[in-house]
Amino acid sequence: MLSTVERNDGVATSEIDPFSRAFLSDPYPFHEQLREAGPIVRLTRYGVWAVARYEQVHPLLNNWQTFGSGGGVGISNFHKEKNWRPPSLLLETDPPKHTQTRSVMNRVLSPPNLKKLRDGFYQDAVRLLDRALELGSFDAVAELAQPYPLKVFPDAVGLAPDGRERLLAYGDMVFNTMGPKNEFYDAAMSKAAEVMPWVTQRCERSALRPGSLGQEVYKAADAGDVTHAEAALLVRSFLSAGVDTTIYALGNAILCFASNPEQWQRLRQDPTKVRAAFEEIMRFETPFQAFFRTTTQATEIAGVPIEADEKIYVSVGAANRDPRKWDDPERFDITRKTVGHVGFGAGIHACVGQMIARIEVEMMLTAMVERVASIELTGTPERLLHNTLRATTKLPVRMTPV
Ligand code: QZP
């Protein structure tokens, strides 16, 4: 039994290991223990701090001055240990550099640029869904959740069709290495030698289709907003951030509806709720569950003194189910008010791709609402064990056409 105890200075400590198999296979009881232990908890297993209550998570994300990203957003501290890849100019960077790169990405991902993608996304969703519906019973991960983002997103970025399965291996590296050097970390990195040269090559300007989002980043470099070398790294951010996250969000979406059939019927009765439903999915089954910040100076949280250059585990997954913030948080309810959920983060690092993610999921859910009368599970879903992502790897369902 893991213990959560108070130190003699009144600070809560816990032996919980957020990267253990037990935690990752069912995080929610552990989230509760972390939230209940106190507003900030020392994780003795790793010598890091943890916040899991909404009341601490949200303001922390809005204070980049004290809770920096330049030390990396995984458990390893880039100030003390070199990372396996050059740091991201967005995710793992603080202002003023971050302000510059973020404004380039904001412009590339502007509403008019994204609007152009909607119809194509919808058509790809319909094509994949119609094929799946012919099967009747199928694995919703293999038929929908995985192939759809893997098609539409790299298309939008401007990648050629070949070799895209490497993006999955790459995403696995990016996200599993935010955890400690455990079995998941090692398994992900075993593919590095094969994958990294490919990723680097695909970020080059010459590899990107004219008119694509990737080319837009290089145009910003032509305009002098970033260097051409930085543009390549910003394209890498697309490939790092935009594949696994949406695949798993979509898998979680289908799982939520398969397990809550009355919610699917509600959505069918009012298809204008597709957007709202996705926000509830992001709250209820947050795909990217937790990340770290590094203190840039000595500070305090809820009266607990924290030294400079300390790692803090920030559980957005736990904050999104904090009963102090949400009524009946364990209930999946597409009609609830989800404003304030931290599934896309918050503050200056809030997901820059959230609008494209929303369009992807919205187009698939819309195609489904039009075509699918009911969704039932025909077997037990298989959960992914992963250092930072919560997802399903197998989702056997039957979808009955309207
Ligand atoms: C991953 C990068 C959920 C986020 C941590 C996803 C993410 C965002 C950016 C990058 C990677 O810039 O490499």
Side-chain angles (χ1 to χ4, degrees):
M1 181 58 195
L2 294 163
S3 60
T4 305
V5 294
E6 218 170 85
R7 250 167 30 183
N8 49 21
D9 59 1
V11 173
T13 72
S14 174
E15 291 174 357
I16 285 174
D17 177 356
F19 305 101
S20 62
R21 282 181 167 257
F23 187 107
L24 298 170
S25 16
D26 184 14
Y28 300 119
F30 294 103
H31 286 172
E32 186 180 352
Q33 286 184 52
L34 289 177
R35 282 189 307 256
E36 296 317 309
I40 177 150
V41 184
R42 187 76 180 166
L43 298 182
T44 53
R45 171 81 173 74
Y46 297 107
V48 298
W49 296 99
V51 288
R53 291 185 188 174
Y54 190 90
E55 193 184 344
Q56 275 69 43
V57 166
H58 192 260
L60 186 147
L61 293 178
N62 281 291
N63 182 356
W64 58 266
Q65 291 91 340
T66 303
F67 304 104
S69 291
V73 302
I75 195 169
S76 115
N77 185 341
F78 293 1
H79 303 139
K80 298 177 178 166
E81 204 181 342
K82 192 168 176 284
N83 194 33
W84 60 272
R85 61 171 200 161
S88 161
L89 298 174
L90 281 169
L91 180 73
E92 298 153 341
T93 305
D94 297 310
K97 187 83 218 168
H98 174 267
T99 315
Q100 187 195 358
T101 52
R102 172 76 184 217
S103 96
V104 167
M105 293 303 258
N106 281 344
R107 266 179 286 137
V108 171
L109 294 166
S110 67
N113 283 355
L114 298 188
K115 200 162 171 249
K116 291 183 222 153
L117 300 171
R118 287 180 79 93
D119 290 350
F121 284 15
Y122 176 73
Q123 282 156 20
D124 279 320
V126 166
R127 183 178 50 80
L128 285 162
L129 185 60
D130 283 346
R131 202 179 68 181
L133 286 175
E134 262 169 46
L135 300 169
S137 299
F138 55 91
D139 174 2
V141 171
E143 300 298 329
L144 300 175
Q146 195 172 87
Y148 170 65
L150 208 45
K151 165 95 176 55
V152 299
F153 184 73
D155 278 359
V157 172
L159 254 57
D162 65 294
R164 288 183 181 184
E165 67 288 345
R166 287 195 175 93
L167 293 172
L168 299 172
Y170 177 58
D172 199 27
M173 289 161 58
V174 169
F175 288 101
N176 259 320
T177 61
M178 291 178 190
K181 294 199 168 92
N182 59 11
E183 57 184 307
F184 309 116
Y185 185 114
D186 293 337
M189 282 306 280
S190 68
K191 301 161 212 150
E194 200 232 316
V195 168
M196 281 319 290
W198 182 87
V199 169
T200 306
Q201 190 272 325
R202 293 298 157 115
C203 293
E204 284 175 17
R205 186 174 210 161
S206 59
L208 299 164
R209 179 178 51 79
S212 62
L213 298 177
Q215 285 291 349
E216 289 292 311
V217 176
Y218 278 98
K219 280 191 203 156
D222 293 342
D225 300 333
V226 287
T227 68
H228 286 85
E230 288 170 338
L233 272 184
L234 290 176
V235 172
R236 192 193 68 175
S237 284
F238 276 139
L239 305 187
S240 307
V243 178
D244 299 50
T245 46
T246 44
I247 289 176
Y248 295 144
L250 192 52
N252 291 351
I254 299 172
L255 176 61
C256 283
F257 285 117
S259 331
N260 298 275
E262 80 293 348
Q263 296 292 320
W264 182 248
Q265 295 316 322
R266 276 204 169 170
L267 188 60
R268 288 188 63 219
Q269 281 151 22
D270 183 2
T272 65
K273 288 203 168 65
V274 160
R275 271 261 160 134
F278 182 46
E279 301 307 312
E280 172 66 349
I281 290 153
M282 289 298 294
R283 181 199 71 81
F284 184 74
E285 286 281 35
T286 311
F288 184 60
Q289 288 260 300
F291 45 84
F292 288 78
R293 290 291 187 256
T294 313
T295 50
T296 57
Q297 58 190 55
T299 185
E300 55 89 23
I301 292 178
V304 175
I306 319 274
E307 286 171 25
D309 216 20
E310 288 279 312
K311 280 276 167 180
I312 306 177
Y313 172 83
V314 184
S315 181
V316 287
N320 277 339
R321 288 186 180 221
D322 184 348
R324 295 164 191 80
K325 165 78 181 171
W326 310 98
D327 289 335
D328 208 356
E330 313 290 323
R331 201 164 50 107
F332 174 65
D333 175 2
I334 65 167
T335 64
R336 84 159 67 230
K337 283 213 179 75
T338 55
V339 51
H341 81 74
V342 281
F344 287 116
I348 65 165
H349 287 279
C351 179
V352 70
Q354 57 184 286
M355 284 315 292
I356 195 166
R358 286 197 180 96
I359 295 171
E360 283 180 53
V361 176
E362 198 184 326
M363 292 300 100
M364 178 57 86
L365 287 181
T366 300
M368 285 172 59
V369 164
E370 295 161 353
R371 287 165 181 77
V372 179
S374 64
I375 311 172
E376 7 159 8
L377 284 172
T378 54
T380 312
E382 276 173 29
R383 281 288 180 184
L384 178 69
L385 287 185
H386 189 294
N387 278 332
T388 54
L389 296 171
R390 174 144 177 93
T392 309
T393 49
K394 214 176 199 166
L395 186 49
V397 295
R398 182 169 25 248
M399 291 193 187
T400 308
V402 291

Coordinates of all heavy atoms in Angstrom, one line a residue, residues 71-102:
G71 N 13.1 24.4 -18.9 CA 13.8 23.2 -18.3 C 13.2 21.9 -18.9 O 13.5 20.8 -18.3
G72 N 12.3 22.0 -19.9 CA 11.6 20.9 -20.4 C 10.3 20.6 -19.7 O 10.1 21.1 -18.5
V73 N 9.3 20.0 -20.4 CA 8.1 19.7 -19.7 C 7.9 18.3 -19.3 O 6.8 17.8 -19.0 CB 6.9 20.2 -20.6 CG1 7.0 21.7 -20.9 CG2 6.8 19.4 -21.9
G74 N 9.0 17.5 -19.4 CA 9.0 16.2 -18.8 C 9.7 16.2 -17.5 O 10.0 17.3 -16.9
I75 N 9.9 15.0 -16.9 CA 10.5 14.9 -15.6 C 12.0 15.3 -15.6 O 12.5 15.8 -14.6 CB 10.3 13.5 -14.9 CG1 10.5 13.6 -13.4 CG2 11.1 12.5 -15.6 CD1 10.1 12.4 -12.7
S76 N 12.7 15.1 -16.7 CA 14.1 15.5 -16.7 C 14.3 17.0 -16.8 O 13.4 17.7 -17.4 CB 14.8 14.7 -17.8 OG 15.3 15.6 -18.8
N77 N 15.3 17.5 -16.1 CA 15.5 18.9 -16.1 C 16.6 19.3 -17.1 O 17.8 18.9 -16.9 CB 15.9 19.3 -14.7 CG 16.1 20.8 -14.5 OD1 16.3 21.5 -15.5 ND2 16.1 21.3 -13.3
F78 N 16.2 19.9 -18.2 CA 17.2 20.2 -19.3 C 18.3 21.1 -18.8 O 19.4 21.2 -19.4 CB 16.5 21.0 -20.4 CG 15.5 20.2 -21.2 CD1 15.2 18.9 -20.9 CD2 14.9 20.7 -22.3 CE1 14.3 18.1 -21.6 CE2 13.9 20.0 -23.1 CZ 13.6 18.7 -22.7
H79 N 18.1 21.8 -17.7 CA 19.2 22.6 -17.1 C 20.3 21.7 -16.5 O 21.4 22.2 -16.3 CB 18.7 23.6 -16.0 CG 17.6 24.5 -16.5 ND1 16.5 24.8 -15.8 CD2 17.5 25.1 -17.7 CE1 15.7 25.6 -16.5 NE2 16.3 25.8 -17.7
K80 N 20.0 20.5 -16.2 CA 20.9 19.6 -15.6 C 21.3 18.4 -16.5 O 22.3 17.8 -16.3 CB 20.3 19.0 -14.3 CG 20.0 20.1 -13.2 CD 19.4 19.5 -12.0 CE 19.1 20.6 -11.0 NZ 18.2 20.2 -9.9
E81 N 20.5 18.2 -17.5 CA 20.7 17.0 -18.3 C 20.3 17.3 -19.7 O 19.2 17.8 -19.9 CB 19.7 15.9 -17.7 CG 20.1 14.5 -18.0 CD 19.0 13.5 -17.5 OE1 18.2 13.9 -16.6 OE2 19.0 12.4 -17.9
K82 N 21.1 17.0 -20.7 CA 20.8 17.3 -22.1 C 19.7 16.3 -22.6 O 19.7 15.1 -22.3 CB 22.1 17.1 -22.9 CG 22.0 17.6 -24.3 CD 23.4 17.7 -24.9 CE 23.4 18.1 -26.4 NZ 23.0 17.1 -27.3
N83 N 18.8 16.9 -23.3 CA 17.7 16.0 -23.8 C 18.2 15.3 -25.1 O 19.1 15.7 -25.7 CB 16.5 16.9 -24.1 CG 15.2 16.1 -24.3 OD1 15.1 15.1 -23.7 ND2 14.3 16.6 -25.2
W84 N 17.4 14.3 -25.5 CA 17.8 13.5 -26.7 C 17.5 14.2 -28.0 O 18.0 13.8 -29.0 CB 17.1 12.2 -26.7 CG 15.5 12.3 -26.7 CD1 14.7 12.4 -25.6 CD2 14.7 12.3 -27.9 NE1 13.4 12.5 -26.0 CE2 13.4 12.4 -27.4 CE3 14.9 12.2 -29.2 CZ2 12.3 12.5 -28.3 CZ3 13.8 12.3 -30.1 CH2 12.5 12.4 -29.6
R85 N 16.7 15.3 -28.0 CA 16.5 16.1 -29.2 C 16.7 17.5 -28.9 O 16.6 17.9 -27.7 CB 15.1 15.8 -29.8 CG 14.0 16.2 -28.9 CD 12.6 16.2 -29.5 NE 11.7 17.0 -28.7 CZ 10.5 17.5 -29.2 NH1 10.1 17.2 -30.4 NH2 9.8 18.2 -28.4
P86 N 17.1 18.4 -29.9 CA 17.1 19.8 -29.6 C 15.8 20.3 -29.0 O 14.8 19.8 -29.5 CB 17.4 20.4 -31.0 CG 17.9 19.3 -31.8 CD 17.3 18.0 -31.3
P87 N 15.8 21.1 -28.0 CA 14.5 21.5 -27.4 C 13.6 22.2 -28.4 O 14.1 22.8 -29.4 CB 15.0 22.6 -26.4 CG 16.4 22.2 -26.1 CD 17.0 21.7 -27.3
S88 N 12.3 21.9 -28.2 CA 11.3 22.6 -29.0 C 11.3 24.1 -28.8 O 11.4 24.5 -27.7 CB 9.9 22.0 -28.7 OG 8.9 22.9 -29.2
L89 N 11.2 24.8 -29.9 CA 11.2 26.3 -29.8 C 9.9 26.8 -29.3 O 9.7 28.0 -29.1 CB 11.5 26.9 -31.2 CG 12.9 26.6 -31.8 CD1 13.0 27.1 -33.2 CD2 14.0 27.1 -30.9
L90 N 8.9 26.0 -29.2 CA 7.6 26.4 -28.7 C 7.4 25.8 -27.3 O 7.3 26.5 -26.3 CB 6.5 25.8 -29.5 CG 6.2 26.4 -30.8 CD1 5.2 25.5 -31.6 CD2 5.5 27.8 -30.6
L91 N 7.3 24.5 -27.2 CA 7.0 23.8 -26.0 C 8.0 24.0 -24.9 O 7.6 24.1 -23.7 CB 6.8 22.3 -26.3 CG 6.5 21.3 -25.2 CD1 5.0 21.5 -24.8 CD2 6.7 19.9 -25.6
E92 N 9.3 23.9 -25.2 CA 10.3 23.9 -24.2 C 11.1 25.2 -24.2 O 12.3 25.1 -24.0 CB 11.2 22.6 -24.5 CG 10.4 21.3 -24.4 CD 11.0 20.2 -25.3 OE1 11.8 20.4 -26.2 OE2 10.6 19.0 -25.0
T93 N 10.4 26.3 -24.4 CA 11.1 27.6 -24.5 C 10.2 28.6 -23.8 O 9.0 28.5 -23.8 CB 11.2 28.0 -26.0 OG1 11.9 26.9 -26.7 CG2 11.9 29.3 -26.2
D94 N 10.9 29.6 -23.2 CA 10.2 30.6 -22.5 C 10.3 31.9 -23.3 O 11.1 32.1 -24.2 CB 10.8 30.9 -21.1 CG 10.7 29.6 -20.2 OD1 9.6 29.1 -20.1 OD2 11.8 29.2 -19.7
P95 N 9.4 32.9 -22.9 CA 9.6 34.2 -23.5 C 11.0 34.8 -23.2 O 11.5 34.4 -22.2 CB 8.5 35.1 -22.9 CG 7.5 34.1 -22.4 CD 8.2 32.8 -22.1
P96 N 11.6 35.6 -24.1 CA 11.0 36.2 -25.2 C 11.0 35.3 -26.5 O 10.2 35.6 -27.4 CB 11.9 37.4 -25.5 CG 13.2 37.0 -24.9 CD 13.0 36.1 -23.8
K97 N 11.8 34.3 -26.5 CA 11.9 33.4 -27.7 C 10.5 32.8 -28.0 O 10.1 32.8 -29.2 CB 12.9 32.3 -27.5 CG 13.2 31.5 -28.8 CD 14.2 32.2 -29.7 CE 13.8 32.0 -31.1 NZ 14.6 33.0 -32.0
H98 N 9.9 32.3 -27.0 CA 8.6 31.7 -27.2 C 7.6 32.6 -27.8 O 6.8 32.2 -28.7 CB 8.0 31.2 -25.9 CG 6.6 30.6 -26.0 ND1 5.5 31.4 -25.7 CD2 6.2 29.4 -26.3 CE1 4.4 30.7 -25.9 NE2 4.8 29.5 -26.3
T99 N 7.6 33.9 -27.4 CA 6.6 34.9 -28.0 C 6.8 35.0 -29.5 O 5.8 35.0 -30.2 CB 6.9 36.3 -27.3 OG1 7.1 36.1 -25.9 CG2 5.8 37.2 -27.6
Q100 N 8.0 34.9 -29.9 CA 8.3 35.1 -31.4 C 7.8 33.8 -32.1 O 7.1 33.9 -33.1 CB 9.8 35.3 -31.5 CG 10.3 35.6 -32.8 CD 11.9 35.4 -32.9 OE1 12.5 35.0 -31.9 NE2 12.4 35.6 -34.0
T101 N 8.2 32.7 -31.7 CA 7.9 31.4 -32.4 C 6.4 31.2 -32.3 O 5.7 30.8 -33.3 CB 8.6 30.2 -31.8 OG1 8.4 30.2 -30.4 CG2 10.1 30.3 -32.1
R102 N 5.8 31.5 -31.2 CA 4.4 31.3 -31.0 C 3.6 32.1 -31.9 O 2.5 31.7 -32.5 CB 4.0 31.5 -29.5 CG 2.5 31.5 -29.3 CD 1.9 30.1 -29.2 NE 0.5 30.1 -29.1 CZ -0.2 29.2 -28.3 NH1 0.4 28.2 -27.8 NH2 -1.5 29.3 -28.2

